[in-house]
Amino acid sequence: MVLPPNPRSVGVARWLITEWCAPWVASAEILEDTVEAALLLASEVVTNAVVHGDGMVQLAVSRVNGSSLRVEVSDDGGGMPLVGAQRADAESGRGMAMVELLSTRWGTDLAVGPLGKTVWFELSNESVQS
């Protein structure tokens, strides 16, 4: 799904992920807790794409290895996400630290050409339960 680069896209992305995952939750293939964690992390990654990226934001959700959930967020910006130490009183900058902490795996894939990237993360049902 392609979303416009504005703050409202964060809520739309959360709604889309909920809708896309509903059949997997209903059939017990993905835990509701896994989807909740995905919504939190997707909010952070989509926000980064809107604030720091360039152009439209593309969102994709898929299952990998049976019970893991993968979320991909792409934009045309060249900046890379950073997991860095923040001051205790900082009002922002902790999103990728949450992705690092809560996801099973995450990474960034660069697009062909000078600009563009996909930030992705995976959540397994097992990691969410523990």
Side-chain angles (χ1 to χ4, degrees), residues 102-124:
L102 298 177
S103 68
T104 306
R105 299 178 342 127
W106 77 276
T108 305
D109 297 330
L110 298 176
V112 176
L115 296 176
K117 68 183 169 303
T118 298
V119 178
W120 57 269
F121 62 86
E122 294 177 5
L123 295 161
S124 69

Side-chain angles (χ1 to χ4, degrees), residues 28-76:
E29 297 172 75
I30 297 288
L31 297 173
E32 221 170 301
D33 288 348
T34 303
V35 177
E36 289 297 321
L39 295 175
L40 173 65
L41 300 184
S43 294
E44 297 299 331
V45 178
V46 172
T47 296
N48 284 350
V50 168
V51 173
H52 304 293
D54 190 27
M56 301 298 271
V57 176
Q58 185 172 352
L59 174 70
V61 176
S62 60
R63 286 185 41 212
V64 292
N65 301 326
S67 64
S68 292
L69 191 62
R70 181 179 175 106
V71 176
E72 299 177 353
V73 178
S74 305
D75 67 73
D76 288 332

